[in-house]
Amino acid sequence: MLSTDCEREDEFIHPGVFVAESPATSPVALFRLTTHAERDVRLALASRRDLPAKAYERLVNDADSEVAATAAANRTRKKPVRPTT
């Protein structure tokens, strides 16, 4: 038996999660993903430490408490912010 649900072969991972986690995703696209309908996409964003400040502002106010808490924790220990323009 596998140790976590994420390791299950039959689990579907929304493609937006891969976009949210990719270092190649532009700051504009990252900002737009902050309002994505899928919680897992927003949680993947909130887990990053290099989002534009406005993206963190949206995520810390997310209706999902785990997304909001993760964003708040990562906002305080982030890498240098990428420009939004």
Side-chain angles (χ1 to χ4, degrees):
M1 180 174 242
L2 297 172
S3 61
T4 67
D5 288 342
C6 292
E7 295 172 321
R8 290 181 25 209
E9 289 182 32
D10 61 342
E11 182 174 352
F12 174 77
I13 299 175
H14 193 283
V17 170
F18 298 111
V19 175
E21 293 174 340
S22 173
T25 303
S26 75
V28 171
L30 292 171
F31 182 73
R32 289 180 180 159
L33 287 171
T34 61
T35 58
H36 198 282
E38 290 290 328
R39 170 196 179 270
D40 290 343
V41 174
R42 298 188 319 277
L43 187 57
L45 280 175
S47 298
R48 292 182 63 141
R49 297 183 334 168
D50 62 345
L51 295 178
K54 290 183 180 186
Y56 283 113
E57 288 173 25
R58 276 192 180 174
L59 291 169
V60 297
N61 293 305
D62 195 277
D64 185 284
S65 61
E66 186 176 4
V67 171
T70 301
N74 284 318
R75 177 173 62 173
T76 60
R77 56 187 178 113
K78 62 185 174 181
K79 295 179 187 176
V81 177
R82 294 166 54 179
T84 57
T85 54

